[in-house]
Amino acid sequence: MDRRSFAASLALSFPLLAAARPFSRKKRLFPRRLQPGDTIGMITPGSYISDESLEKAVNNALKLGFKVKMGKHIRARRGFNAGTDQQRLDDLHLMFSDDTVGGIWCARGGYGCSRLLPFIDYKLISRNPKALIGYSDVTALLNAIYHKTGLVGFHGPVGASELTPYTETQFRAVVMEGKAPYAIPLSENNLEKEDGAYRTYTIKTGKAKGVLIGGNLSLLAALAGTEYLPDPKGKLVFMEDIGEKPYRIDRMLTQLRQAWGLNQAAGIAMGIYADCQPREGEPSLSLEETIRDRTENLDIPAIYGLSFGHIDDQCTLPVGIEAELDVEEQRLTLLEAAVR
């Protein structure tokens, strides 16, 4: 981890936190595929990361053959966030502007990414397209950046995730190898779990094609009605969450129906909603009943239980590329490479 070269880049000056000027994308931008030996910029745009988790994130990057350049403020802390909004924003901007950095990996998610959206320099990002990788709260960055610049991003493991054989294989296939067309396989480990949240089932049969957008359900609901979420019309929308009671999932899906136009999507791909079942004896619909109630009558192809979410075995889904959903075959296929 060569911090000297990164320190030199700090001479770049960014304005103090101020709303960015409106910027509309004209075409899609594809990041360069990552290769062993590339330098990965590691940042924490949301919540604070512990020493143990940061060490794990760095080791995961090294395992994949990358060099690591740490964000200047990666050890900063302000309450639950990894430093102030300005510090986290500066690290994001500096990694995109640094020519020695090949891609950007969020060491963890956690709340705070959506606070940055009005202040991001989207023109800077459009001039320096790079792979941005993460999930959970990073959903806000991936969708806003794609919507504003056309840059394809990656809903995949954060640096501190469990880099299981399945997770590593899917990461390599999408971000490093750019396989296409590529049918994302279901995780055998997930299919063998007794927890009902891992069961794959049909919500509404059919096939659908469209551009992939989505991520964490809580973040999508929070972004609905803002200028930072792409229009779902004709898109394949993927969603997952963790630790939310069924009534909260009901509320968020209702928000997406009423404020976002979820019914206009081409199809819906649900991941694993871990720890979202009601407690025994609690007056509630089950997780499955809730999801069916809010999505089945949209009359578009929809499936639950694909291998992504807050789980160990998770695939990497590009935000912004064409894909096809085949509910009957339980298959999501990337129709084009997400990297160049």
Side-chain angles (χ1 to χ4, degrees), residues 3 32 39 49 102 150 154 231 255 337:
R3 296 180 66 99
R32 181 179 63 81
T39 296
I49 189 169
F154 300 91
D231 187 339
Q255 171 76 358

Side-chain angles (χ1 to χ4, degrees), residues 62-194:
L62 296 176
K63 177 183 177 182
L64 290 167
F66 301 134
K67 300 173 184 177
V68 178
K69 179 171 285 190
M70 310 284 273
K72 177 188 177 184
H73 305 292
I74 200 166
R75 301 305 298 124
R77 186 172 189 175
R78 182 177 184 269
F80 48 76
N81 285 137
T84 65
D85 290 352
Q86 187 69 57
Q87 288 174 320
R88 303 194 315 282
L89 184 70
D90 284 349
D91 277 2
L92 178 71
H93 284 159
L94 284 167
M95 289 304 181
F96 270 107
S97 65
D98 189 337
D99 291 338
T100 70
V101 171
I104 304 167
W105 203 358
C106 299
R108 69 156 296 180
Y111 177 72
C113 294
S114 58
R115 292 173 58 99
L116 305 183
L117 302 185
F119 313 109
I120 292 174
D121 187 341
Y122 294 103
K123 288 186 178 180
L124 168 70
I125 292 174
S126 70
R127 293 193 300 266
N128 301 276
K130 298 176 184 180
L132 175 65
I133 309 149
Y135 78 112
S136 193
D137 208 77
V138 182
T139 292
L141 298 179
L142 297 175
N143 285 274
I145 289 173
Y146 168 67
H147 185 47
K148 294 288 188 177
T149 73
L151 177 62
V152 173
F154 300 91
H155 182 276
V158 293
S161 291
E162 287 296 324
L163 206 59
T164 67
Y166 175 88
T167 301
E168 180 177 344
T169 296
Q170 301 313 308
F171 181 95
R172 289 183 181 275
V174 176
V175 184
M176 302 178 71
E177 299 167 18
K179 289 186 176 181
Y182 180 61
I184 299 175
L186 295 177
S187 160
E188 293 295 332
N189 288 336
N190 290 344
L191 293 173
E192 292 173 358
K193 291 183 181 294
E194 296 182 0

Side-chain angles (χ1 to χ4, degrees), residues 204-279:
K204 192 75 173 181
T205 191
K207 294 182 180 181
K209 290 183 180 181
V211 171
L212 276 173
I213 59 172
N216 180 256
L217 173 62
S218 296
L219 269 295
L220 296 176
L223 292 175
T226 72
E227 63 180 274
Y228 305 108
L229 193 58
D231 187 339
K233 187 175 182 179
K235 307 292 199 309
L236 283 182
V237 178
F238 65 93
M239 295 180 281
E240 59 79 32
D241 220 314
I242 183 172
E244 298 288 356
K245 291 182 180 292
Y247 81 87
R248 293 175 181 169
I249 292 173
D250 182 300
R251 181 178 63 205
M252 291 184 283
L253 288 173
T254 298
Q255 171 76 358
L256 293 182
R257 288 169 61 118
Q258 296 177 354
W260 192 40
L262 183 59
N263 63 301
Q264 298 181 63
I268 297 174
M270 296 281 192
I272 306 299
Y273 284 60
D275 192 29
C276 290
Q277 293 283 10
R279 295 178 182 175

Side-chain angles (χ1 to χ4, degrees), residues 50-68:
S50 67
D51 291 339
E52 181 181 7
S53 292
L54 181 56
E55 181 180 8
K56 183 177 182 179
V58 171
N59 287 335
N60 279 340
L62 296 176
K63 177 183 177 182
L64 290 167
F66 301 134
K67 300 173 184 177
V68 178

